[in-house]
Amino acid sequence: MTDNAALSSDAVVLADRIGELVACMRSAEAELGALLVEIEQRGVMELFGYRSAARLLEHLADVPKQAGERMVKRARALHPGRNLDGSPIPALAPATGAAALAGRVSNPMIDVITGVLTQVPPEHHAGVEQNLLSFAADAGHKQVAALGARILAHLNPDGAEPATTEPATPTRELFLRRKRTGIWELNGTFDDETGTRASAVLDALAERRTSDEGPDHRTLPQRYGDAFSDTIDLALNSPDLPTQAGERAHVMVAVSLADLKTGVGTATLGDTGEMSAAEARVHACDSMLIPAVLGEKSEPLNLGRLRRLISAGLRRALYLRDRGCAFPGCHRPPRHCQGHHIRHWADGGPTDLTNLVLMCAHHHRLLHRSGWQVRIAADGLPEFLPPAFLDKRRKPRRNNLHQPLPFAA
């Protein structure tokens, strides 16, 4: 055998092995995606205490949240799901899902096929998907994308309807309405300058978040909803906010002492709203939601303000010590954070530095519901113990993203 023949033989063996490993990787990722969709349907919150499958994957596998969200979104297109009311959602590309489980298609190929199918009328889905998959057997995702573009052009030869050339100038209006379900609806129109400024603020606060909303997974609008909530918190914490009847703006929450201690039951929010006692317990740590704690005969026992709220000086000390959200891996700065009582104030926990930790709203809620625990270590800094399903040893973790306070020489 010549040297060239030996090299050629080795190349074939190595290439075949690469193909086998790639197919295994693709099949494993497709199976993981199917499992995440199943977890979503069964309830991420109920099973693990996490808001979304992407957040769960971030902690279980050290997968960046954006990559996890892409994986979950891709899997939803390949596998059937369910709406919030329990009605079934058919898979957008079931044949592509089967090919993915067999390791025959790459993620870029899946994205190309599902991207084309989202623009195809439902009655043509099966035929178009089969054509794209057949072509994909011998072509790369770029060639399949070109075929998809030709198919779309054939189905819609006139193209999209052109936009109007003279848009009306919007007025600056805002409508905020509370529905009977307790959900608030917000809509309005703004001039270009106001919209640009609002977009810049929301983009900054919606970066890699997530957000709070939806059936255990956040879309981009839901991330914007979280960012809007953070914007309200920042406004309420501003010293320049105008007062109402001599006081800074706040909302009163009425809850019984027994419900506040156990987190079971409901609380009255403002004049007509309602929230769970567990949520009231989260806000009772440090917020402009002022809890009015009631006794057995609904008599006010405590208005929370003097014993519970963190003073300006203590808040500055928290800022200096924690430098931002103390939860491991969180980059949120101090101005986006709340003070969390390690031992809840309703259980007799003091409002002092040894019983407080700085946390962003997302991780504050996660701590209250998911099995994470926090404590102050011997060196005076906070550390977090993960739930057993993340780490059976429950080894303490710390946030090392924030710059420590520089010390004088």
Side-chain angles (χ1 to χ4, degrees):
M1 182 181 292
T2 65
D3 290 344
N4 287 338
L7 290 175
S8 178
S9 176
D10 288 345
V12 170
V13 171
L14 292 172
D16 286 346
R17 184 56 181 158
I18 289 174
E20 292 171 359
L21 293 175
V22 168
C24 288
M25 291 166 58
R26 291 173 176 174
S27 178
E29 185 169 346
E31 186 175 349
L32 175 58
L35 182 60
L36 292 174
V37 170
E38 179 186 347
I39 290 173
E40 276 194 335
Q41 294 177 26
R42 295 176 61 180
V44 187
M45 186 78 69
E46 290 79 4
L47 286 172
F48 297 100
Y50 278 70
R51 252 187 338 221
S52 69
R55 283 286 189 192
L56 175 65
L57 189 63
E58 179 183 15
H59 283 127
L60 279 175
D62 194 27
V63 173
K65 181 170 174 291
Q66 280 189 322
E69 287 176 337
R70 287 194 298 270
M71 183 183 297
V72 173
K73 180 181 178 181
R74 186 178 294 122
R76 288 195 207 109
L78 303 182
H79 302 282
R82 292 192 178 277
N83 289 304
L84 288 176
D85 60 3
S87 59
I89 303 174
L92 175 68
T96 306
L101 287 171
R104 297 198 305 270
V105 290
S106 65
N107 285 339
M109 185 71 76
I110 294 171
D111 293 341
V112 164
I113 294 174
T114 56
V116 171
L117 292 180
T118 57
Q119 304 175 67
V120 170
E123 62 269 21
H124 297 295
H125 272 189
V128 170
E129 182 184 14
Q130 195 55 54
N131 284 334
L132 294 175
L133 278 175
S134 298
F135 190 54
D138 301 308
H141 68 275
K142 292 182 179 179
Q143 294 98 311
V144 174
L147 174 62
R150 290 197 297 272
I151 292 175
L152 292 175
H154 175 73
L155 293 175
N156 186 17
D158 295 331
E161 183 179 349
T164 176
T165 57
E166 297 182 2
T169 303
T171 57
R172 192 179 293 181
E173 296 178 329
L174 185 68
F175 303 92
L176 183 63
R177 181 174 69 92
R178 183 183 185 274
K179 302 173 71 173
R180 293 183 195 174
T181 58
I183 299 298
W184 290 72
E185 285 187 344
L186 173 70
N187 58 72
T189 55
F190 299 96
D191 59 88
D192 198 19
E193 180 189 353
T194 303
T196 301
R197 287 188 285 131
S199 179
V201 171
L202 293 176
D203 280 344
L205 293 176
E207 186 183 34
R208 298 186 180 181
R209 282 274 304 180
T210 154
S211 94
D212 263 337
E213 301 54 81
D216 298 327
H217 58 85
R218 293 199 315 164
T219 62
L220 181 61
Q222 289 164 348
R223 294 212 326 259
Y224 265 65
D226 278 350
F228 182 79
S229 179
D230 288 344
T231 304
I232 297 298
D233 287 339
L234 289 173
L236 285 173
N237 289 327
S238 171
D240 299 325
L241 188 70
T243 60
Q244 293 178 319
E247 290 189 303
R248 290 178 59 197
H250 64 269
V251 177
M252 187 75 74
V253 177
V255 61
S256 73
L257 181 60
D259 288 349
L260 185 65
K261 284 179 174 290
T262 62
V264 178
T266 59
T268 300
L269 177 65
D271 297 326
T272 59
E274 187 176 88
M275 71 191 319
S276 69
E279 189 74 3
R281 188 175 172 91
V282 174
H283 288 293
C285 284
D286 175 34
S287 176
M288 288 312 292
L289 291 177
I290 310 301
V293 183
L294 308 179
E296 294 180 358
K297 299 180 180 179
S298 297
E299 73 277 14
L301 299 179
N302 184 273
L303 290 182
R305 180 162 293 214
L306 293 178
R307 289 177 51 197
R308 175 187 62 86
L309 290 185
I310 298 170
S311 67
L314 186 53
R315 187 178 298 278
R316 284 193 291 270
L318 265 178
Y319 287 5
L320 290 173
R321 187 194 71 187
D322 295 346
R323 313 295 291 164
C325 179
F327 193 87
C330 185
H331 65 279
R332 287 280 173 167
R335 65 181 179 276
H336 295 165
C337 298
Q338 307 161 350
H340 165 73
H341 284 69
I342 296 174
R343 183 185 179 196
H344 202 280
W345 71 276
D347 299 327
T351 302
D352 60 35
L353 200 58
T354 62
N355 191 48
L356 293 170
V357 61
L358 210 56
M359 302 191 72
C360 70
H362 164 68
H363 288 119
H364 193 180
R365 286 182 171 85
L366 182 66
L367 188 71
H368 274 268
R369 73 185 179 219
S370 70
W372 281 88
Q373 292 179 317
V374 61
R375 66 189 182 191
I376 300 298
D379 60 1
L381 298 177
E383 61 183 17
F384 291 77
L385 282 69
F389 66 81
L390 286 179
D391 181 359
K392 292 182 174 59
R393 298 173 301 164
R394 304 203 71 194
K395 183 179 179 181
R397 305 181 185 183
R398 293 189 179 188
N399 191 344
N400 59 2
L401 295 184
H402 302 300
Q403 289 292 332
L405 188 67
F407 291 95

